[in-house]
Amino acid sequence: MPVAKAQGLDLAILGQVISAGPATSVYAQSKITKITTEDWSAQAATKDCYKSCKLICAALEATGARSPLIEICCSMYAKAVDSGYGDEDMISIIKILSHSSPS
């Protein structure tokens, strides 16, 4: 959504397009609504998602396995928590993505 917003796209219309596509789900639709209305109230708090990610990473490490995607998720949730978004919904990572510059 940060890219869509930066491109000047209407987020409500983008949400409708995503909801009508093959990747839609009740969960995705609820998060799209929260994103397009900027409703940061927690359904799944960022700090709780971060805790879960850390547990998954620890379990992977204990077995010698890796999952680059969960490592990225953990890093993003850590940055969101460190930025003060821990009590907000997990979609608050959008806020850190919106303020990040490409490296």
Side-chain angles (χ1 to χ4, degrees):
M1 293 287 186
V3 172
K5 196 171 186 177
Q7 294 292 318
L9 297 177
D10 183 319
L11 297 185
I13 292 173
L14 178 61
Q16 291 173 1
V17 170
I18 293 170
S19 292
T24 195
S25 66
V26 172
Y27 177 78
Q29 290 174 4
S30 72
K31 292 303 180 186
I32 289 167
T33 299
K34 288 180 75 60
I35 291 167
T36 58
T37 61
E38 296 186 2
D39 174 4
W40 309 111
S41 62
Q43 289 174 315
T46 299
K47 65 183 176 188
D48 295 332
C49 293
Y50 178 47
K51 288 178 190 175
S52 295
C53 283
K54 289 193 301 185
L55 290 171
I56 294 166
C57 285
L60 288 167
E61 187 176 324
T63 64
R66 288 199 59 225
S67 175
L69 183 56
I70 197 70
E71 292 169 11
I72 291 168
C73 289
C74 197
S75 173
M76 290 171 57
Y77 283 125
K79 187 172 181 179
V81 169
D82 291 346
S83 296
Y85 305 129
D87 291 324
E88 294 184 7
D89 193 79
M90 62 189 291
I91 62 171
S92 69
I93 60 169
I94 288 173
K95 293 179 179 181
I96 63 161
L97 293 172
S98 296
H99 295 100
S100 297
S101 58
S103 42

